[in-house]
């Protein structure tokens, strides 16, 4: 049996080639306008410390989009992840962070240079928006026992 190496570009071709084709005689109509719900796919966040770029500018506010199955599959074939499985979160976060301050090209090198507290924050944020689908949590005040909802995505430092 011959072993084949797949690159990230090769993954796109394989996924497209193996995608099931819809039968030509079946055309699905869009759901009625009343039953459509708008899906929120991008979430803003604020880093606890902030990413410091080469010029010394601190970037705290950013945007993360929902992950796709392809986002979770692609790091599995990355050589850096194969050599060091802990690198998976760096590659995954670099794919779903769409903006960080004025930085629009967020790649693995940017995530590598972040402080550990910011990476931990982003890992938790990723889990929350991709598992539960939102960043709100129900909480109860320990003093008055009143229940309310908070947005965990952050606002100003100390509010999340």
């Amino acid at each position: 049996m011959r072993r084949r190496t797949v690159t990230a570009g090769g993954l796109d071709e394989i996924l497209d080639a193996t995608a099931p084709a819809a039968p030509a005689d079946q055309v699905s109509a869009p759901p009625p306008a009343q039953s459509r719900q708008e899906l929120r796919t991008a979430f803003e966040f604020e880093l606890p410390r902030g990413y410091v770029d080469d010029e010394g500018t601190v970037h705290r506010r950013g945007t993360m989009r929902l992950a796709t199955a392809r986002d979770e599959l692609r790091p599995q074939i990355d050589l850096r992840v194969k050599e060091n499985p802990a690198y998976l979160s760096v590659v995954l976060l670099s794919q779903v962070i769409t903006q960080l301050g004025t930085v629009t090209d967020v790649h693995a090198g940017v995530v590598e240079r972040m402080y550990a507290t910011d990476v931990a924050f982003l890992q938790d944020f990723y889990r929350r928006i991709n598992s539960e689908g939102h960043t709100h949590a129900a909480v109860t005040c320990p003093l008055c026992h009143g229940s309310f909802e908070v947005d965990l995505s952050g606002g100003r430092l100390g509010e999340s």
Side-chain angles (χ1 to χ4, degrees), residues 44 121 124-125 128 135-137 139 150-155 159-160:
E44 292 183 357
F121 169 84
D124 185 54
F125 189 71
R128 281 195 313 247
T135 59
H136 293 93
V139 295
V150 295
D151 186 359
L152 299 173
S153 64
E159 287 186 349
S160 41

Side-chain angles (χ1 to χ4, degrees), residues 2 17 29 34 55-56 71-72 114-115 138-139 150-151 155 158-160:
R2 190 171 155 215
Q34 297 166 344
E55 287 79 38
D71 292 325
E72 295 205 355
M114 288 182 181
Y115 294 108
V139 295
V150 295
D151 186 359
E159 287 186 349
S160 41

Side-chain angles (χ1 to χ4, degrees), residues 66-118:
L66 289 176
T68 63
R70 182 173 286 178
D71 292 325
E72 295 205 355
L73 289 171
R74 190 169 285 167
Q76 300 296 327
I77 61 170
D78 192 300
L79 293 176
R80 298 168 295 186
V81 174
K82 286 183 177 183
E83 291 175 8
N84 182 3
Y87 201 76
L88 175 99
S89 63
V90 171
V91 175
L92 190 55
L93 289 173
S94 70
Q95 292 182 143
V96 296
I97 298 173
T98 56
Q99 187 171 358
L100 187 58
T102 58
V103 180
T104 55
D105 180 26
V106 181
H107 49 81
V110 171
V111 179
E112 284 177 353
R113 293 177 45 203
M114 288 182 181
Y115 294 108
T117 53
D118 289 336

